[in-house]
Amino acid sequence: MVHQPEAMIAAEGNDPALTPRSLRHGVCQQLRQMATAQAAVFAAVELVWATTHISLYPFGARRPRRGAVGHGYRVEHLSPLKRGMLVSGVAELGTPILLLHGLADNHSIFTLLRRGLLRRGFSRVFAMNYSVRTKDIRTAAAQLAEEIEAIVEETGHERIHVVAHSLGGVIARYYVTRLGGDERVHTLVTLGAPHTGTLLAHVLPSALTRQLRPGSALMQELNQPSPGCSTRIIAFWSDTDEAVVPAVNAALQQEGVATTNIRLRGVGHLSLPILPSVVHRIATSLTQLDSEGTPTASITHISSRPA
């Protein structure tokens, strides 16, 4: 397994670059970011992971495994400190997590992230595949709603978490802010989701990619205010994301939605779900179940081995 370098995570909050003077400015800025030495290192990681992902892709076409039955905790191999952390965070670590992939992909993109979450104590990690022939974000969001209702019925949890990569983040946000999904989703984590569209969508003309163009009817609908939304959204975005152009479009500002933007530096689009630092940040965020976002459980940072 290739060891991935740690991403540089900038301060949280609403980044002032969210309102660039023009798309041209955003594109030029992104190209400058890609010319750094750090970006070159992560480009090599991106290439290695892309090659690995291609080999895993056929396995991801299978129906994803369901989450573990029951809590699935084992504590006999843990130190007293880690046992205490696990016991104190039973509710947080037992909350179901659904992983949602991006365009023309499947759940194999989350191979390392899923393993990292399980190793950190999360016992109910689900995934779903939506069709590569999906033509409409609204339809995919309705399918997501059905999957989440099935998880709720199976686990008995009224609310779950969703971690979504790329297009999956747009689908999940449509469900949360436009279909009443905030009643079911406690936290939505997006990884490189084109929340306000991507210019790259002009390169591949299709019904779905037209919805991903900046200023499209779908984007205008999606980014309307969502007053009273009870889902918190954590948006990871990288300044060198080659799939979201300009890259800052993967950050989010939406009236009525509690949002935290986390900027990464030099990380490629496919690498977002595999970096140990990102996996740990996601795990830490998902241990916060109170309304103020205060940690209500602890999580161990696994630093000796890649996630």
Side-chain angles (χ1 to χ4, degrees):
M1 181 179 297
V2 177
H3 178 74
Q4 301 90 9
E6 293 293 310
M8 294 178 59
I9 301 181
E12 297 182 10
N14 293 324
D15 196 301
L18 281 173
T19 56
R21 295 178 180 179
S22 66
L23 290 177
R24 178 179 297 178
H25 170 77
V27 173
C28 292
Q29 183 181 42
Q30 188 168 344
L31 290 175
R32 286 194 296 270
Q33 294 288 350
M34 290 181 174
T36 65
Q38 183 186 18
V41 172
F42 275 100
V45 174
E46 182 92 339
L47 179 60
V48 172
W49 172 236
T51 304
T52 304
H53 183 43
I54 290 173
S55 65
L56 293 174
Y57 190 92
F59 298 98
R62 301 172 182 173
R63 183 177 179 83
R65 290 182 296 173
R66 306 300 293 174
V69 177
H71 55 73
Y73 297 138
R74 296 181 57 206
V75 299
E76 66 272 11
H77 64 292
L78 300 178
S79 67
L81 175 60
K82 290 184 179 180
R83 290 185 191 184
M85 291 164 56
L86 181 60
V87 171
S88 68
V90 168
E92 292 83 355
L93 299 178
T95 300
I97 301 171
L98 175 62
L99 308 177
L100 188 64
H101 63 80
L103 180 66
D105 210 339
N106 57 44
H107 67 92
S108 63
I109 189 70
F110 295 116
T111 299
L112 299 183
L113 190 150
R114 183 180 189 275
R115 182 184 304 170
L117 291 174
L118 291 173
R119 288 172 58 196
R120 287 169 171 83
F122 294 92
S123 59
R124 291 171 170 170
V125 183
F126 297 80
M128 70 169 285
N129 284 346
Y130 57 89
S131 174
V132 295
R133 296 186 295 275
T134 297
K135 298 180 179 179
D136 180 62
I137 288 172
R138 300 176 184 88
T139 300
Q143 294 172 350
L144 173 61
E146 294 176 357
E147 180 69 16
I148 289 177
E149 288 302 318
I151 293 173
V152 167
E153 182 177 356
E154 177 179 331
T155 65
H157 283 255
E158 293 184 356
R159 303 186 80 193
I160 74 169
H161 302 309
V162 176
V163 179
H165 181 236
S166 194
L167 173 62
V170 177
I171 293 170
R173 188 160 71 94
Y174 190 94
Y175 165 66
V176 163
T177 63
R178 293 291 165 251
L179 300 181
D182 59 322
E183 294 183 358
R184 291 300 193 201
V185 178
H186 179 282
T187 301
L188 168 60
V189 179
T190 65
L191 305 170
H195 288 299
T196 50
T198 173
L199 293 177
L200 198 64
H202 289 278
V203 177
L204 301 171
S206 70
L208 181 62
T209 56
R210 281 193 288 270
Q211 293 183 334
L212 294 176
R213 294 173 180 175
S216 70
L218 186 284
M219 285 296 158
Q220 293 181 44
E221 177 189 0
L222 180 62
N223 287 287
Q224 288 296 310
S226 183
C229 178
S230 60
T231 296
R232 60 171 180 165
I233 298 180
I234 302 172
F236 287 83
W237 68 283
S238 172
D239 55 9
T240 55
D241 189 325
E242 69 278 8
V244 182
V245 182
V248 74
N249 283 11
L252 176 64
Q253 281 183 333
Q254 184 171 8
E255 184 179 339
V257 181
T259 304
T260 299
N261 292 305
I262 301 177
R263 178 177 180 173
L264 307 176
R265 300 184 184 278
V267 182
H269 189 70
L270 289 178
S271 299
L272 287 167
I274 71 168
L275 295 179
S277 57
V278 173
V279 176
H280 177 69
R281 192 60 172 271
I282 291 173
T284 301
S285 298
L286 297 187
T287 62
Q288 302 169 353
L289 293 187
D290 72 350
S291 59
E292 301 299 324
T294 303
T296 52
S298 300
I299 198 72
T300 302
H301 192 166
I302 303 174
S303 57
S304 61
R305 291 174 293 175

